[in-house]
Amino acid sequence: MARKNASDDLLAPVTLAVGQEDLLLDRAVREVVAAARAADADTDVRDLTPDQVQPGTLAELTSPSLFAERKVVVVRNAQDLSADTVKDVKAYLGSPAEEITLVLLHAGGAKGKGLLDAARKAGAREVACPKMTKPADRLGFTRGEFRAAGRSATPEACQALVDAIGSDLRELASAVSQLVADVEGTIDEAVVGRYYTGRAEASSFTVADRAVEGRTAEALEALRWSLSTGVAPVLITSALAQGVRAIGKLSSARGGRPADLARELGMPPWKIDRVRQQMRGWTPDGVAVALIAVAEADAGVKGGGDDPEYALEKAVVTIARAARSRGSGR
């Protein structure tokens, strides 16, 4: 779970959620909204992106109401706010309105650091939502999910679940929820094995890996098995997009050591080595074609088409063909 500071009042005037782990950021927002609606079922929630927050917007949203309604104002990617809007937010931090909770989601890092520092100085409640790139972090997350559900799971079961599901926290959280709902008593490695044997090979990222490697038949097999075991189509399109973008990023980057490229591209060093192997056979035109295929599939699984499974199969085939655009022989 996301780590919280000592001031853990969910209805504090300002909550600052810092990090790049989408699941934890979304949970931070949901917790505040749930607390606000528990206090007032008619709470008005405004969930805004940086382009929706212009100079004067915050003042308008937080101005006194005739009905004294409770309100939650969520600003996502606060590091991307314009300079004039940041001035508005900083001014508001010095004198927050009653019955209003401002939730700022900030990626952390250097960009927008002035706003981050100002919120901390103003005493904002802070929730840390770091990206969990290390296996040990994901293992700790899984243990925490079981504890939060009031259930016991053996260390071997937690490790087996992480090994089977992979790096996607949403999938891990969903798997824990399913086990907690279906299984009585302590959850052990045997239970995880019954539920998730083969899941690692059929994860969304495995589908993406096989596709960008040009292994059409294996990618389609993994896709069908993944869908049959309940992996959400949107997770698969997300993994496909990440796989193709990684190819594009690395192919356009200057040569260098994996550690240097990792810093430049925002990837872990081990992924640099994997993507280098996967990018053989790719051309810039192939990357462009694959990105279009992913965008079309994403629209298809989000309601733009009648058959999400067909949309995914089409994308996988197109990406795998693009991976062989240099005639690599795969």
Side-chain angles (χ1 to χ4, degrees):
M1 296 179 65
R3 300 188 301 277
K4 305 179 181 76
N5 66 2
S7 176
D8 199 24
D9 177 9
L10 290 168
L11 295 180
V14 180
T15 285
L16 180 64
V18 184
Q20 299 179 41
E21 186 55 67
D22 289 340
L23 172 66
L24 301 183
L25 291 167
D26 287 344
R27 282 186 176 180
V29 173
R30 288 201 303 270
E31 287 179 349
V32 172
V33 171
R37 286 184 169 156
D40 181 352
D42 295 325
T43 295
D44 180 22
V45 178
R46 305 295 180 91
D47 197 327
L48 307 171
T49 55
D51 60 296
Q52 294 174 308
V53 188
Q54 302 299 320
T57 301
L58 186 61
E60 180 181 347
L61 291 174
T62 59
S63 61
S65 167
L66 290 175
F67 304 101
E69 64 181 356
R70 181 176 289 278
K71 187 179 293 184
V72 176
V73 178
V74 180
V75 179
R76 296 182 181 270
N77 296 312
Q79 72 278 358
D80 294 330
L81 292 172
S82 69
D84 288 339
T85 303
V86 168
K87 290 179 183 178
D88 285 356
V89 177
K90 287 182 177 180
Y92 177 82
L93 293 173
S95 183
E98 293 185 8
E99 300 299 310
I100 293 178
T101 299
L102 175 63
V103 183
L104 298 173
L105 274 57
H106 195 293
K111 187 176 183 181
K113 189 173 184 299
L115 177 58
L116 193 63
D117 292 341
R120 286 169 170 162
K121 186 175 180 180
R125 168 182 173 265
E126 185 169 342
V127 183
C129 306
K131 200 75 174 175
M132 296 191 181
T133 57
K134 297 179 181 179
D137 292 337
R138 294 191 288 275
L139 182 59
F141 170 81
T142 303
R143 290 171 176 163
E145 290 292 286
F146 281 115
R147 283 196 300 270
R151 295 295 300 277
S152 175
T154 67
E156 294 79 11
C158 293
Q159 185 64 63
L161 196 58
V162 171
D163 291 343
I165 299 298
S167 62
D168 191 291
L169 290 199
R170 291 187 190 277
E171 290 193 48
L172 277 171
S174 176
V176 170
S177 296
Q178 182 177 11
L179 289 169
V180 166
D182 292 356
V183 180
E184 296 182 358
T186 299
I187 296 165
D188 59 20
E189 187 176 7
V191 170
V192 174
R194 287 201 302 271
Y195 272 74
Y196 296 102
T197 294
R199 182 63 180 269
E201 290 73 28
S203 73
S204 54
F205 289 102
T206 299
V207 176
D209 284 342
R210 299 296 84 79
V212 300
E213 291 162 4
R215 295 155 67 176
T216 308
E218 293 177 43
L220 288 173
E221 181 181 0
L223 171 65
R224 289 161 189 158
W225 182 254
S226 184
L227 292 171
S228 73
T229 56
V231 177
V234 292
L235 295 178
I236 299 173
T237 55
S238 175
L240 289 171
Q242 290 182 48
V244 175
R245 286 175 187 149
I247 297 288
K249 283 182 179 180
L250 192 55
S251 62
S252 61
R254 298 185 303 273
R257 296 178 304 169
D260 296 331
L261 287 170
R263 284 192 294 271
E264 179 183 344
L265 302 178
M267 298 181 191
W270 64 264
K271 189 169 184 178
I272 297 292
D273 292 332
R274 174 183 291 180
V275 175
R276 272 179 167 165
Q277 295 175 350
Q278 293 174 333
M279 64 188 286
R280 297 167 186 164
W282 281 91
T283 65
D285 287 345
V287 172
V289 167
L291 286 173
I292 292 171
V294 171
E296 291 175 348
D298 189 56
V301 303
K302 291 179 179 176
D306 297 328
D307 190 343
E309 184 172 339
Y310 171 74
L312 286 168
E313 287 185 357
K314 182 180 177 182
V316 165
V317 170
T318 301
I319 292 167
R321 286 176 179 168
R324 297 192 298 269
S325 52
R326 277 205 182 107
S328 64
R330 281 193 297 264

